[in-house]
Amino acid sequence: MPTLVAFFEAKSYDREYFTALPAAAELDLRFLEHRLGAGTVATAQGAAAVCCFVNDRLDRGVLQRLRELGVRHVALRCAGFNNVDLAAARELGLAVTRVPAYSPHAVAEHTVALLLTLNRKIHRAHNRVREQNFSLAGLVGFDLHGKTAGIVGTGRIGRLTAEILRGFGMTVLATDPCPDAAWAAQHQVAYVAKSGLFARSDVVSLHSPLTPDTHHLVNEPTLAAMKRGAYLVNTSRGKLIDTAALIEALKSGRLGGVALDVYEEEEGVFFEDHSDHVLADDELARLLTFPNVLITAHQAFLTREALGEIARVTTENLRRGAVAQPFLDGTQLA
Ligand code: NAI
């Protein structure tokens, strides 16, 4: 009998890429549109595994309930795992797997797309031209060539972003508790302390995971130390930035612009159409009023290649979990 998998927060593209895989025929994927959390965990009834994404909440209480319902495997179809209490999963004997690197290129390329759009004001130009307003007033950007970029976190995505920015002729600084000296020498990237990076960069891009250490890594003091008019780009996790401090830095002109693919309180907002509703989040509403703030709704991963790889690795992990075989290399967290 195929393994029943409760597939939370399923979107049209998830269905398309998962059901296209022949191997998925061995699984009974129950696509659910809602997120997993304390209020919805009962919908995993009867499933041997759950398949989750970035905003599903897998805290101790939810994991405990999943275990009671008979779930044995949490298959994340994403790289980040800050939403899972791994210690609780281990204690409960729940296996947790993820897709560590489905396409770092997708995220790095989206990061640079955001930076170029923000700097050259493409979003504003596009809207203007469609209104037959061909004025260029207010659309002045700056050459990236010769400027300094600061990369916070030189893992898979941070390294690729740095390499693309080096291609533009930028000086690239980086900070990471585990620096990769050989890579830095090869690409002429200089590791510096976090304080130096924020003080010297014209563009800061965040690529570190969300951990207790990196929560609000960008806060009032770090923003105050940044160059006046610098840009900040975040395609990693929203909680790396203290949003209230960010808004103040935008209001004061300290920051020249901000591009976000992730937002501190995105859970319950991103990935859904709220165009008919009143936006209850005042900070998000305020961010949306700035002409120099660009927001995409956590779409950096959204390429054909990434979706194909996410479906392939997750399906393989779900199949192996069902027959108690080792998971794919590097995918198991607990
Ligand atoms: P990775 O694990 O390859 O690299 C993370 C790097 O951050 C490591 O080198 C680590 O040493 C470093 N780091 C840890 N603590 C740090 C700190 N305090 N300061 C500076 N660096 C620190 O991860 P990868 O694949 O590069 O992904 C990075 C993040 O991107 C993920 O954790 C995830 O949150 C986010 N992401 C966002 C996506 C999106 O669609 N917007 C898609 C995929 C990942």
Side-chain angles (χ1 to χ4, degrees):
M1 217 169 74
T3 311
L4 180 60
V5 180
F7 194 113
F8 286 89
E9 225 189 344
K11 303 292 179 209
S12 55
Y13 44 82
D14 292 315
R15 288 172 194 258
E16 183 188 336
Y17 280 84
F18 274 81
T19 51
L21 285 174
E26 290 173 32
L27 304 169
D28 179 4
L29 299 174
R30 182 200 286 162
F31 291 107
L32 303 165
E33 285 176 15
H34 51 259
R35 279 178 291 128
L36 173 60
T40 59
V41 63
T43 56
Q45 176 80 46
V50 290
C51 183
C52 300
F53 199 50
V54 295
N55 288 326
D56 290 310
R57 187 167 294 188
L58 293 134
D59 56 23
R60 181 176 284 275
V62 169
L63 293 170
Q64 174 86 51
R65 190 75 191 101
L66 286 174
R67 186 74 165 91
E68 287 162 11
L69 289 170
V71 170
R72 293 291 178 273
H73 178 192
V74 174
L76 299 171
R77 55 181 191 283
C78 52
F81 51 90
N82 50 279
N83 53 336
V84 188
D85 185 337
L86 287 180
R90 271 182 214 114
E91 278 171 38
L92 292 162
L94 278 166
V96 182
T97 56
R98 64 167 177 156
V99 189
Y102 43 81
S103 174
H105 295 280
V107 185
E109 289 172 16
H110 190 77
T111 304
V112 177
L114 286 175
L115 171 60
L116 291 173
T117 304
L118 180 72
N119 180 34
R120 303 306 298 271
K121 297 153 180 50
I122 305 295
H123 52 310
R124 300 183 63 204
H126 174 73
N127 288 337
R128 274 190 201 184
V129 167
R130 288 174 69 89
E131 293 285 318
Q132 297 173 40
N133 173 356
F134 301 105
S135 155
L136 301 182
L139 299 185
V140 180
F142 59 75
D143 288 9
L144 292 177
H145 179 90
K147 301 295 186 305
T148 299
I151 302 291
V152 180
T154 52
R156 285 169 279 244
I157 297 168
R159 284 199 302 268
L160 285 173
T161 306
E163 289 168 28
I164 298 172
L165 298 180
R166 284 287 301 133
F168 288 152
M170 297 189 83
T171 298
V172 177
L173 307 176
T175 190
D176 195 305
C178 307
D180 183 340
W183 167 80
Q186 186 189 349
H187 295 281
Q188 295 166 299
V189 171
Y191 278 105
V192 296
K194 192 181 86 174
S195 56
L197 181 143
F198 277 89
R200 289 166 58 192
S201 298
D202 300 292
V203 174
V204 173
S205 191
L206 306 181
H207 301 286
S208 52
L210 176 63
T211 64
D213 274 352
T214 61
H215 182 262
H216 284 189
L217 176 124
V218 176
N219 52 25
E220 207 218 309
T222 37
L223 288 162
M226 284 177 77
K227 274 187 171 177
R228 197 163 183 84
Y231 291 157
L232 177 66
V233 183
N234 186 10
T235 57
S236 189
R237 284 292 179 268
K239 290 187 198 307
L240 296 182
I241 300 180
D242 176 345
T243 309
L246 183 73
I247 290 171
E248 287 312 311
L250 281 159
K251 282 164 74 177
S252 71
R254 162 66 55 191
L255 282 177
V258 174
L260 305 174
D261 186 53
V262 287
Y263 168 62
E264 193 166 8
E265 302 301 334
E266 69 179 54
E267 200 181 311
V269 180
F270 281 13
F271 305 127
E272 304 297 335
D273 179 1
H274 293 280
S275 53
D276 270 350
H277 309 137
V278 169
L279 191 56
D281 183 329
D282 289 351
E283 289 190 332
L284 180 57
R286 183 68 178 100
L287 281 175
L288 291 170
T289 67
F290 292 100
N292 53 347
V293 171
L294 182 63
I295 300 180
T296 51
H298 209 136
Q299 72 172 75
F301 73 99
L302 202 64
T303 65
R304 290 194 295 264
E305 292 76 5
L307 288 171
E309 193 58 9
I310 287 170
R312 186 188 70 77
V313 174
T314 308
T315 300
E316 188 53 31
N317 278 336
L318 284 164
R319 288 173 66 216
R320 290 179 183 218
V323 290
Q325 269 182 7
F327 295 111
L328 291 181
D329 259 3
T331 62
Q332 188 164 11
L333 295 164

